[in-house]
Structure formats: structure tokens, C-alpha cells
Amino acid sequence: MSTDIPDSHPRKVSLEMRERLVHGWEQKVVATAGLFAHGRGEAFDYILGEQTHAAADSAIEAAAAALLLADKPVISVNGNVAALTAKECVDAGRAASAQLEINLFYRCLEREKAIEQVLLAAGAKTVYGVGEDADSRVPGLESERGKVDSRGIFHADVVFLALEDGDRTEQLVRMGKKVIAVDLNPFSRTAQFADITIIDNIVRVFPLLIEKIEKLKTKDKTAVWKIVDLYNNKKTVGEVIKAVRLKLADMEKKGIFMEVPKE
Ligand code: ATP
């Protein structure tokens, strides 16, 4: 890390995330566009109060259940996910017996290898989707963007995505996969297309996801199925949009002008 951010800094967690992404960018793990994508997420996180809302919590529970019930679950990893949550990603894969696959919007071997190294260093045993291993295609997506691993996403029944773009999410849903997406933007096409949309920051999602997977492992399968069956994604996304609307209305009503105390 290049800067030491004091504990007292009110934006410490957010600034540390930026530092991790800049570090990832320097290591060619994060694409330049990934830094902008993070900025869009940050803006929504700010409005959402940088906390996990009840709706996101129930989406995470449904995601944990869906991953546990899957025959071939895959966690899709891009540069931002690797830079922010490599260890948690590996731990979630292990907890859910899911494969990890590198799946990039801007594919290039150098970056695939750099991300693979980060995941291996975080404890991953196998990483799909590197180089020639991305030997299959998602129909409807042109060239590099459509490449996936036949052992991974191509044949997966449940795919966990984070910070994904709408086109690819839509095509995976069209392929008949159950798509779990993490996206702080409740208005994005990804958030609208996914079967389970977790509107929360990936850094808060993984620890909760792992906790819920472990808890659900102790329940019988009927109870786990019930969670998936009763889950309503439209309602979840709607609840987060309502939270955004209420927060903005409250700010407008109260005014949020801060006074700087005089010396
Ligand atoms: P779409 O095509 O789905 O409408 P988009 O064009 O916004 O979405 P991208 O530019 O690929 O797609 O953006 C990725 C998404 O990731 C953004 O919507 C952003 O809110 C979200 N995001 C960024 N950082 C995080 C994070 N740390 N945790 C969760 N979501 C994030």
C-alpha cells in the first residue's frame, strides 16, 4: 500500500478499497475501465450508507442456498473481484464446492495469468478460464467477451457473478443458468436480468455468503429449497430502490449541510 490511512479517517474503508484497486491495476490484475466501474459502485454504496440492507441480506441467503443446491456451481472472477476479495472468493468457492473461473470483459493472457496468480496465492487449487482453457463460447456475445471454459461456466447450472455487464448477464440467463449477481447499482441491466441480485459491496457480500453457506449446510435440503423457492428478486431489487428513494428524500427534507466547527 502506498499510503497509511489513519484509523480516524471517516472514509478509511473506502480509501483502502481504492488503494487495493490501484495496486491491482499496477499488477495488471485490474483493467483501467475496472477503476471507473468501481467509481460507479462507490457512488451507489455512498447513497446506500455503505451497509448491507435487509434486502441484500435475504438475497445473500438465497444465493447461498442456490449455490449449495447446484450441481455445477461456478464463481466468475474478474480483476476487481481478485484485487478486492481474492481470499474470500477462494473461501466461498471451497465452502460451496464451486469452481473459480476467470471471466473478463477485456480478455488478455497477461491479465488472466496475473489474476490466476492472485487466486493461487490466496489458496485456490484450480482456476478455470485461463488462455486456451476458455475453449467455449456464450452464444450472442462477440469474440473475446463470449469466451468461457467448457469445464466451468459453459456447463454450469449456477453462476455467481460480480461487477458484470448487462449483456453477458443476459446471455447467461438465456442459456438457462441461474445467475447470482453482485452489483451496487440497482438500476443496472445486470441487476434487472439476474435471478438473484445482491445489491451490496462485494467486500461485505463474501463474508456473509460464506457464513450463510456454512449455516445452511446444517439444515435439511427441503428447508434450503424453500429459501430458493420463496425468494422474489423483483421484490428485493424494488426494496433497495425504495431505500435509495427514502434516503434521498430524507436528505432533501433535513438538509445535509455540515457545519465546520470554528477554532
Ligand atoms: P449494465 O451493463 O449491467 O447496465 P454497467 O454498464 O454499469 O452495467 P459495468 O460498467 O461493467 O456495467 O459496471 C459494473 C457494475 O459493478 C457497476 O454497476 C457498479 O455499480 C458495480 N460495482 C463496482 N464496484 C462494486 C463493488 N465493489 N461491489 C459491488 N458492485 C460494484
Side-chain angles (χ1 to χ4, degrees):
M1 298 289 146
S2 55
T3 341
D4 238 351
I5 305 161
D7 286 345
S8 59
H9 196 295
R11 314 237 23 92
K12 184 177 166 74
V13 176
S14 172
L15 293 176
E16 278 175 350
M17 263 190 269
R18 286 186 185 177
E19 295 250 332
R20 290 215 289 280
L21 286 162
V22 170
H23 181 65
W25 180 80
E26 285 163 355
Q27 292 186 312
K28 309 247 185 290
V29 166
V30 174
T32 305
L35 300 176
F36 294 102
H38 180 76
R40 182 175 298 169
E42 251 188 5
F44 281 100
D45 209 8
Y46 204 108
I47 294 171
L48 289 164
E50 294 170 331
Q51 56 177 315
T52 302
H53 283 252
D57 195 72
S58 58
I60 296 171
E61 185 181 52
L67 284 167
L68 274 181
L69 294 169
D71 288 325
K72 286 185 162 227
V74 173
I75 298 177
S76 169
V77 185
N78 65 16
N80 287 41
V81 172
L84 290 172
T85 51
K87 166 95 175 51
E88 294 82 350
C89 197
V90 172
D91 291 347
R94 194 167 296 135
S97 301
Q99 299 295 336
L100 304 183
E101 176 167 340
I102 297 174
N103 187 27
L104 307 178
F105 191 94
Y106 300 99
R107 247 184 200 284
C108 87
L109 189 58
E110 188 187 23
R111 213 151 74 75
E112 289 162 31
K113 293 258 183 215
I115 296 171
E116 182 186 33
Q117 280 316 309
V118 169
L119 292 172
L120 293 175
K125 294 276 173 278
T126 320
V127 179
Y128 287 172
V130 180
E132 299 293 308
D133 288 347
D135 55 354
S136 294
R137 309 196 56 82
V138 174
L141 294 174
E142 75 282 6
S143 64
E144 296 298 295
R145 288 206 311 148
K147 282 188 174 175
V148 285
D149 195 316
S150 54
R151 300 165 301 167
I153 290 176
F154 192 75
H155 282 116
D157 52 350
V158 175
V159 183
F160 181 100
L161 310 162
L163 290 72
E164 183 57 273
D165 84 299
D167 281 9
R168 297 204 303 178
T169 308
E170 181 183 7
Q171 295 308 331
L172 290 173
V173 172
R174 274 181 199 273
M175 283 176 87
K177 300 179 189 307
K178 190 181 245 323
V179 174
I180 302 164
V182 179
D183 192 333
L184 276 160
N185 177 3
F187 308 109
S188 75
R189 289 171 312 139
T190 294
Q192 308 292 325
F193 287 135
D195 296 291
I196 299 176
T197 306
I198 303 171
I199 302 168
D200 197 6
N201 199 313
I202 189 72
V203 301
R204 292 190 297 271
V205 172
F206 270 132
L208 284 171
L209 181 73
I210 295 164
E211 197 184 299
K212 288 185 193 294
I213 290 171
E214 295 303 344
K215 200 167 153 200
L216 291 182
K217 275 184 187 170
T218 65
K219 306 247 181 236
D220 68 90
K221 267 206 165 169
T222 324
V224 182
W225 269 113
K226 205 167 164 197
I227 293 169
V228 175
D229 288 344
L230 292 179
Y231 178 76
N232 180 339
N233 203 46
K234 217 171 172 183
K235 184 164 168 265
T236 304
V237 176
E239 277 170 14
V240 179
I241 293 175
K242 187 172 169 197
V244 171
R245 184 164 53 77
L246 292 177
K247 173 88 181 270
L248 295 177
D250 191 48
M251 283 170 141
E252 190 183 15
K253 204 164 97 198
K254 284 197 211 137
I256 47 154
F257 307 103
M258 292 186 194
E259 286 196 21
V260 177
K262 302 255 176 336
E263 287 292 311

